[in-house]
C-alpha cells in the first residue's frame, strides 16, 4: 500500500480514538482533579507497602524453621497456590488446544473443518476466565479445582488461537515436501508442523502460563483459590499497603516467568548461533571462558 | 523413444497440459511429455519461466489448468501411493529446528512405513542411515538444520529423498550451491540409486552443459528467448 495513504489512515484512527475518549470524559479537568486525588491516595493509604504479608500467619500451624517461616505467610501460600493453578491449567489447556489448533490451521485442513474448529475455540474464549470461574464455583464449590477448570477452558480457547496462527505462519516448502511424498495428516502435523513452529508454540505456552498466573489473582476474588483470596481480604479491610505488597510480588514473579521464557526459547531460536561477547568475555582470558562454555569454544572463530 | 519396448508404461505422462497459478493466464504448455522407468529428463529454461511450477504440478501440489497429468498410473486429481514420488524442492523444505536425522526419517518413513504404524520400521532406519552416509553427513546426524551450510542442507534434502526409495525423483536444482567435487558425489550417488532401482528422475537444471552431461533427454521451456517465432511459452524436447 501507498505509504502516504497508510500514514493518513493511522492518523485518522488515532484521532478517532481521541474523539471517543473525549466524549466519554466530558471535561478534561476531571483528569487533573483525578491526578490530585490519586497522589493523595498513594501518599496516605498505599505507600509504603506492608511487607507484613510475608510474616507467618496464625491461621496455619507453621513447622518450618524460623529462617523459612515466610513459607507459612499468606503471600507465600497464596502465591504457590496461584502458581499451581496456572501451571496445571496451562499444561491441560495446551494439551487440549493442540489437536484443535491443528484442525483449525487452514494450511493443513479443508475450510469446513478448520472453520468449525475455529468456532469451537472462539466459544471457549468468548467467556473470560473470571466468568468461567464464577460458573465452576457455583457448580463445584470454592477452591483451586474450580480455578483450574475455569482457566483450562479459557486456555484452550486463547492458546488454541495463538497456536493455529503460528502454524499458519510457517513456510510452505516443508508442507509441500510432506504432501508430495504422501505423508499422512498425522505425520505432517506431528513431525513437520509442530517441530517447525515449536519456537512459537513454546513461547506462547509460557506466555499463557504468565497470563494465567496474572489472572489467577483475579479469579481468587470470586473464591476459586490462590493469592486473589488474600488480596480480596485486604481490599475489604481497606488495607491497601498489603495489597501493594501483593501486587509487587506478582510483578516480580511475572518478570521471572519472562526470563524463564527467554531461556526456554533459546533452544529453538537462532540467537544462540550468533556470538555477541558479553562484558565478562571481553575482560576474561579465553582459556577461563572455555571452561564454562558448553558449546565448543567458538570465540574468535575457532572451531 | 525407439529403444523402449511399447509394453513398458511411462511413469510420467503429460498430454496437452497447461500449467500456472491463474486459470486465465497459463504459464507454460506441455504438448507431450513421457518419462519411462530408468530415464533422467532435465528441464532447462530462463528464470521465472515456470520450471518449479511444472514440478509442483507433476507432484500433485498444483492443479493443472488443462490437460491430463498421469504419474505412476494415477491421473490427477487421484492421489499417488505413499512414498512413490520423491521431491527435492528448490527451497528444500527442511525443518530448520529439527535434526538431520529427523528430516531424513520423514522420507524414510514415507517409503518404508505404513501411515498407520507410529514407530519407524528398522528398514526405514537402515535406509535413513545409509543415505545419510552416502551424502557424507554422518558427522552432522544430530545437528539441527539451521547450523548447516547451504550445500550441506541441500545434501540433507537429497538424503531425505534417497532414504525414501521413490520410483521417480523430482529434483529442483538439487546440484546448486555445491562445489565441483561434492556435486559429482551427489550426482553419482543419485544415479547409482536410480540404476539399482530402475527409478526415473525429472530434474530442473539451469546449467545446460551439465544437464546434457547426465540427462537422457532435455526439455527446454522457452518463452521466446530461444526461438523468437513461438507464440506461447512451450516445453519442447531438445536433442542431447
Ligand atoms: N505461489 C505462486 N502464486 C502465483 N504465482 C507464482 C507462485 N509461485 C510462482 N509464481 C510465478 O510463476 C512464475 C514461474 O515461477 P517458477 O517458480 O515456476 O519459475 P522457475 O522457472 O522455477 O524460475 P527459477 O529458475 O528462478 O527457479 C513466476 O513468474 C512467479 O512469479
Ligand atoms: Mg524454480
Amino acid at each position: 500500500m501507498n505509504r502516504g495513504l497508510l500514514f493518513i489512515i493511522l492518523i485518522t484512527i488515532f484521532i478517532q480514538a481521541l474523539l471517543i475518549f473525549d466524549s466519554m470524559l466530558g471535561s478534561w479537568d476531571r483528569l487533573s482533579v483525578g491526578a490530585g486525588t490519586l497522589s493523595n491516595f498513594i501518599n496516605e493509604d498505599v505507600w509504603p507497602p506492608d511487607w507484613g504479608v510475608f510474616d507467618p500467619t496464625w491461621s496455619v500451624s507453621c513447622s518450618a524453621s524460623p529462617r523459612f517461616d515466610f513459607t507459612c505467610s499468606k503471600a507465600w501460600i497464596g502465591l504457590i497456590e496461584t502458581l499451581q493453578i496456572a501451571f496445571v491449567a496451562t499444561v491441560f489447556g495446551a494439551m487440549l488446544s493442540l489437536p484443535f489448533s491443528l484442525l483449525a490451521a487452514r494450511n493443513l485442513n479443508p475450510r469446513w473443518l478448520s472453520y468449525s474448529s475455529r468456532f469451537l475455540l472462539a466459544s471457549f474464549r468468548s467467556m473470560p476466565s473470571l466468568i468461567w470461574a464464577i460458573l465452576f464455583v457455583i457448580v463445584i464449590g470454592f477452591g483451586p479445582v474450580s480455578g483450574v477448570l475455569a482457566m483450562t477452558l479459557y486456555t484452550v480457547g486463547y492458546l488454541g488461537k495463538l497456536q493455529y496462527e503460528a502454524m499458519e505462519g510457517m513456510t510452505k516448502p516443508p508442507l509441500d515436501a510432506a504432501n508430495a511424498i504422501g505423508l499422512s495428516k498425522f505425520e505432517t502435523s506431528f513431525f513437520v508442523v509442530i517441530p517447525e513452529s515449536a519456537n512459537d508454540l513454546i513461547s506462547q505456552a509460557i506466555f499463557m502460563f504468565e497470563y494465567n498466573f496474572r489472572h489467577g489473582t483475579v479469579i481468587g476474588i470470586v473464591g476459586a483459590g490462590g493469592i486473589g483470596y488474600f488480596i480480596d481480604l485486604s481490599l475489604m479491610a481497606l488495607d491497601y499497603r498489603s495489597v501493594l505488597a501483593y501486587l509487587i510480588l506478582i510483578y516480580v514473579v511475572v518478570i521471572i516467568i519472562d526470563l524463564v521464557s527467554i531461556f526456554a526459547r533459546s533452544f529453538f531460536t537462532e540467537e544462540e548461533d550468533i556470538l555477541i561477547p558479553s562484558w565478562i568475555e571481553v575482560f576474561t582470558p579465553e582459556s577461563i571462558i572455555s571452561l564454562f562454555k558448553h558449546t565448543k569454544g567458538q570465540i574468535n572463530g575457532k572451531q | 523413444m525407439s529403444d523402449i519396448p511399447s509394453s513398458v508404461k511411462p511413469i510420467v505422462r503429460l498430454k496437452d497440459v497447461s500449467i500456472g497459478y491463474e486459470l486465465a493466464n497459463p504459464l507454460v504448455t506441455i504438448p507431450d511429455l513421457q518419462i519411462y522407468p530408468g530415464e533422467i529428463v532435465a528441464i532447462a529454461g530462463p528464470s521465472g519461466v515456470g520450471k518449479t511450477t511444472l514440478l509442483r504440478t507433476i507432484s500433485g501440489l498444483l492443479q493443472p489448468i488443462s490437460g491430463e497429468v498421469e504419474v505412476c498410473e494415477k491421473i490427477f486429481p487421484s492421489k499417488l501411493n505413499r512414498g512413490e514420488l520423491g521431491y527435492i524442492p528448490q527451497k528444500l523444505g527442511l525443518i530448520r529446528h529439527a535434526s538431520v536425522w529427523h528430516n531424513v526419517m520423514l522420507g524414510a518413513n514415507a517409503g518404508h512405513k505404513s501411515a498407520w504404524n507410529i514407530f519407524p520400521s528398522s528398514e526405514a532406519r537402515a535406509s535413513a542411515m545409509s543415505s545419510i552416509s552416502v551424502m557424507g553427513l554422518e558427522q552432522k546426524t544430530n545437528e539441527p538444520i539451521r547450523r548447516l551450510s547451504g550445500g550441506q542442507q541441500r545434501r540433507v534434502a537429497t538424503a531425505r529423498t534417497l532414504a525414501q526409495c521413490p520410483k521417480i525423483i523430482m529434483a529442483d536444482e538439487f546440484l546448486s550451491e555445491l562445489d565441483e567435487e561434492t556435486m559429482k558425489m551427489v550426482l553419482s550417488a543419485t544415479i547409482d540409486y536410480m540404476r539399482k532401482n530402475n527409478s526415473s528422475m525429472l530434474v530442473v537444471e539451469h546449467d545446460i552443459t551439465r544437464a546434457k552431461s547426465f540427462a537422457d533427454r532435455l526439455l527446454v521451456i522457452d518463452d521466446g528467448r530461444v526461438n523468437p517465432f513461438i507464440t506461447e511459452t512451450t516445453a519442447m524436447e531438445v536433442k542431447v
Side-chain angles (χ1 to χ4, degrees):
Chain A
M1 203 193 314
N2 180 317
R3 272 206 201 165
L5 187 63
L6 189 66
F7 185 69
I8 292 171
I9 290 176
L10 288 177
I11 291 285
T12 318
I13 290 174
F14 178 66
I15 292 176
Q16 192 62 38
L18 266 186
L19 289 177
I20 294 174
F21 184 61
D22 181 59
S23 70
M24 288 169 170
L25 207 54
S27 154
W28 286 79
D29 290 345
R30 278 174 66 190
L31 281 190
S32 54
V33 174
T37 320
L38 184 67
S39 88
N40 273 350
F41 175 62
I42 288 176
N43 286 329
E44 287 168 21
D45 295 326
V46 180
W47 193 260
D50 179 2
W51 298 111
V53 298
F54 279 103
D55 293 339
T57 163
W58 29 261
S59 60
V60 291
S61 60
C62 192
S63 57
S65 67
R67 279 185 66 187
F68 293 103
D69 61 3
F70 67 89
T71 56
C72 303
S73 65
K74 291 183 205 166
W76 188 262
I77 293 171
L79 175 72
I80 295 297
E81 191 169 74
T82 302
L83 282 171
Q84 285 173 335
I85 294 174
F87 177 74
V88 176
T90 310
V91 171
F92 287 2
M95 284 168 59
L96 289 171
S97 67
L98 205 52
F100 286 115
S101 55
L102 283 168
L103 292 179
R106 277 174 304 177
N107 50 355
L108 294 178
N109 288 298
R111 291 293 149 103
W112 64 268
L113 191 56
S114 67
Y115 278 99
S116 16
S117 182
R118 267 156 205 252
F119 292 149
L120 190 73
L121 289 174
S123 72
F124 287 131
R125 192 169 65 235
S126 56
M127 277 222 281
S129 48
L130 185 63
I131 311 285
W132 285 115
I134 293 173
L135 224 111
F136 280 112
V137 166
I138 295 169
V139 177
I140 297 183
F142 290 108
V145 174
S146 297
V148 165
L149 293 178
M151 274 191 182
T152 302
L153 285 192
Y154 188 73
T155 300
V156 171
Y158 194 95
L159 191 57
K161 180 178 167 69
L162 296 178
Q163 286 173 338
Y164 71 66
E165 282 178 353
M167 291 169 185
E168 287 180 352
M170 73 176 272
T171 55
K172 202 152 173 29
L175 278 180
D176 271 1
N179 289 335
I181 68 181
L183 291 181
S184 67
K185 274 270 152 59
F186 179 85
E187 289 168 309
T188 308
S189 301
F190 285 88
F191 304 131
V192 176
V193 177
I194 291 182
E196 182 72 7
S197 41
N199 182 25
D200 286 337
L201 297 183
I202 287 171
S203 71
Q204 287 160 357
I206 296 174
F207 168 73
M208 199 66 216
F209 175 64
E210 183 210 293
Y211 181 96
N212 281 341
F213 171 70
R214 283 185 282 112
H215 278 239
T217 62
V218 180
I219 66 166
I221 292 174
V222 301
I227 198 170
Y229 172 69
F230 298 111
I231 296 181
D232 191 38
L233 285 186
S234 300
L235 275 175
M236 286 193 295
L238 306 184
D239 178 8
Y240 298 123
R241 294 191 178 173
S242 298
V243 173
L244 182 62
Y246 287 126
L247 293 183
I248 291 174
L249 176 64
I250 291 167
Y251 177 67
V252 169
V253 175
V254 166
I255 288 184
I256 292 173
I257 295 174
D258 196 32
L259 294 178
V260 172
S261 164
I262 292 174
F263 174 74
R265 272 180 302 158
S266 71
F267 290 100
F268 294 91
T269 49
E270 333 229 329
E271 284 158 29
E272 61 174 324
D273 302 336
I274 305 163
L275 278 175
I276 302 165
S278 67
W279 62 269
I280 298 181
E281 284 173 349
V282 174
F283 292 108
T284 325
E286 195 181 317
S287 54
I288 295 181
I289 296 173
S290 61
L291 291 178
F292 295 98
K293 282 223 127 165
H294 60 285
T295 45
K296 301 154 230 159
Q298 298 150 312
I299 297 162
N300 300 342
K302 281 194 186 163
Q303 275 298 326
Chain B
M1 308 291 293
S2 54
D3 52 338
I4 289 167
S6 56
S7 62
V8 179
K9 284 197 170 161
I11 286 214
V12 173
R13 188 178 60 80
L14 269 64
K15 190 80 198 147
D16 294 326
V17 171
S18 63
I19 59 171
Y21 294 91
E22 294 160 55
L23 280 180
N25 191 11
L27 283 170
V28 186
T29 49
I30 305 103
D32 189 34
L33 172 65
Q34 291 172 17
I35 304 175
Y36 287 89
E39 272 191 320
I40 302 179
V41 176
I43 308 177
S47 177
V49 81
K51 303 182 295 293
T52 298
T53 310
L54 177 58
L55 249 57
R56 283 171 53 90
T57 309
I58 297 176
S59 306
L61 298 169
L62 196 67
Q63 182 178 348
I65 291 176
S66 66
E68 211 171 77
V69 176
E70 181 184 326
V71 184
C72 297
E73 304 186 13
K74 298 270 173 21
I75 297 176
F76 189 90
S78 72
K79 289 215 168 232
L80 302 188
N81 292 333
R82 181 183 166 87
E84 278 182 330
L85 179 138
Y87 184 36
I88 309 174
Q90 190 169 11
K91 289 175 187 159
L92 307 181
L94 299 171
I95 301 165
R96 289 182 61 69
H97 299 304
S99 64
V100 169
W101 177 254
H102 180 102
N103 277 280
V104 175
M105 278 307 282
L106 289 177
N109 281 332
H112 301 282
K113 173 182 90 66
S114 84
W116 304 111
N117 195 347
I118 293 186
F119 300 103
S121 59
S122 54
E123 212 185 341
R125 292 169 159 281
S127 182
M129 217 112 69
S130 83
S131 68
I132 287 176
S133 79
V134 164
M135 286 295 128
L137 292 163
E138 289 122 317
Q139 307 295 322
K140 303 284 180 186
T141 306
N142 295 312
E143 287 284 306
I145 299 301
R146 63 170 191 275
R147 294 220 196 114
L148 303 185
S149 72
Q152 288 168 338
Q153 296 188 12
R154 224 155 255 283
R155 280 184 277 153
V156 176
T158 307
R160 179 180 62 192
T161 297
L162 294 187
Q164 182 192 336
C165 299
K167 286 187 187 165
I168 174 150
I169 299 175
M170 301 277 145
D172 204 340
E173 311 215 358
F174 78 127
L175 299 175
S176 311
E177 282 185 286
L178 302 174
D179 61 82
E180 190 66 19
E181 200 178 326
T182 321
M183 190 272 290
K184 283 190 174 136
M185 185 268 277
V186 171
L187 185 59
S188 73
T190 310
I191 291 178
D192 264 4
Y193 162 79
M194 292 181 50
R195 296 286 174 258
K196 264 186 216 143
N197 297 273
N198 198 29
S199 309
S200 335
M201 176 152 81
L202 181 61
V203 52
V204 172
E205 180 56 74
H206 65 261
D207 181 341
I208 292 197
T209 336
R210 186 156 76 199
K212 282 181 175 168
S213 75
F214 65 82
D216 300 313
R217 288 150 57 201
L218 178 63
L219 198 71
V220 173
I221 302 186
D222 183 16
D223 55 357
R225 279 180 256 188
V226 178
N227 175 357
F229 297 107
I230 61 171
T231 51
E232 61 183 351
T233 308
T234 314
M236 291 163 306
E237 205 166 322
V238 172
K239 290 258 169 350
V240 178

